[in-house]
Amino acid sequence: ERSSFSLDTMSRIIFYEDKNFGGRSYECSSDCADMHSYFSRCNSIRVESGCWVLYERPNYMGYQYVLTRGEYPDYQRWMGFNDSIRSCRTFTYTSGGPYRLRIYERSDFGGQMMEFTDDCESVHDRFRFRDIHSCNVMDGYWTFYEQPSYRGRQYFMRPGEYRRFSDWGANCAATGSFRRITDF
């Protein structure tokens, strides 16, 4: 018999081939580097518990999507560029824990620096620069977005040092917004 603690902390996500939770489905509770044999397309998702990073291609490559608990009846709801999900990772964090990151104007933590503990809807408005070339995530998990108002390509940021934008998987330094990952 499983303890209630392990049930409370277990992550669970269900992928559906069709919109509105229809068609073949696949349930997952841990990281999976290649899901192509379980379903051919993904048009809706239910996140029952935990936080997840989904990837467009196998081996945690391609577009990233950060999802928390909730229902996503079509891929536009998770800001998907298409119906391709080929790998996923789950992560846990302390809800309500501290959040702190530093962004830098130049790579290797050079140039102007600004520290944040809260969401930022427009990097340009708050930081004066449109580009973030390096970043130090001290506390919490964050999502970077290519465009302001939490739109465009997403990048999952866990605690650590990112000396250049390619360290978080970006092709360019353009960062329009970012926010804390919280589970409601």
Side-chain angles (χ1 to χ4, degrees):
E1 186 172 314
R2 301 172 71 155
S3 70
S4 61
F5 176 77
S6 64
L7 288 173
D8 289 343
T9 59
M10 192 167 101
S11 295
R12 186 164 168 243
I13 189 169
I14 307 167
F15 301 94
Y16 298 87
E17 286 196 334
D18 299 333
K19 291 181 180 183
N20 298 311
F21 319 107
R24 266 178 45 191
S25 66
Y26 174 68
E27 188 176 311
C28 190
S29 59
S30 61
D31 296 1
C32 185
D34 190 354
M35 300 190 298
H36 88 277
S37 61
Y38 304 120
F39 52 87
S40 59
R41 64 190 185 279
C42 181
N43 280 293
S44 54
I45 293 174
R46 268 195 183 101
V47 178
E48 305 260 318
S49 56
C51 296
W52 294 83
V53 186
L54 313 180
Y55 299 84
E56 173 198 29
R57 299 201 319 252
N59 299 312
Y60 318 112
M61 304 290 287
Y63 293 129
Q64 303 175 25
Y65 310 107
V66 179
L67 274 65
T68 55
R69 191 176 35 203
E71 294 193 341
Y72 304 84
D74 61 68
Y75 68 77
Q76 284 87 4
R77 294 289 177 92
W78 65 81
M79 292 185 284
F81 289 97
N82 54 46
D83 64 2
S84 178
I85 300 292
R86 291 290 178 257
S87 53
C88 67
R89 281 188 168 134
T90 184
F91 62 95
T92 55
Y93 69 102
T94 304
S95 185
Y99 290 87
R100 196 161 61 111
L101 69 80
R102 289 181 179 160
I103 59 173
Y104 297 84
E105 171 194 13
R106 299 199 186 105
S107 54
D108 290 316
F109 316 114
Q112 293 289 317
M113 181 277 287
M114 188 172 242
E115 186 170 304
F116 289 82
T117 57
D118 210 342
D119 302 352
C120 177
E121 190 172 6
S122 172
V123 169
H124 184 266
D125 290 353
R126 297 270 305 275
F127 187 51
R128 254 190 35 235
F129 301 98
R130 171 78 172 93
D131 296 349
I132 297 175
H133 282 271
S134 55
C135 174
N136 184 0
V137 178
M138 276 100 76
D139 294 299
Y141 293 92
W142 301 74
T143 306
F144 276 18
Y145 297 85
E146 206 168 35
Q147 297 169 22
S149 302
Y150 317 115
R151 295 186 341 267
R153 287 191 73 163
Q154 302 173 41
Y155 303 98
F156 173 62
M157 308 292 288
R158 63 171 31 111
E161 293 186 346
Y162 301 85
R163 297 189 164 277
R164 55 198 47 81
F165 56 81
S166 58
D167 289 352
W168 63 79
N171 295 324
C172 67
T175 308
S177 53
F178 55 82
R179 66 177 158 199
R180 300 161 298 147
I181 298 172
T182 59
D183 189 8
F184 294 105

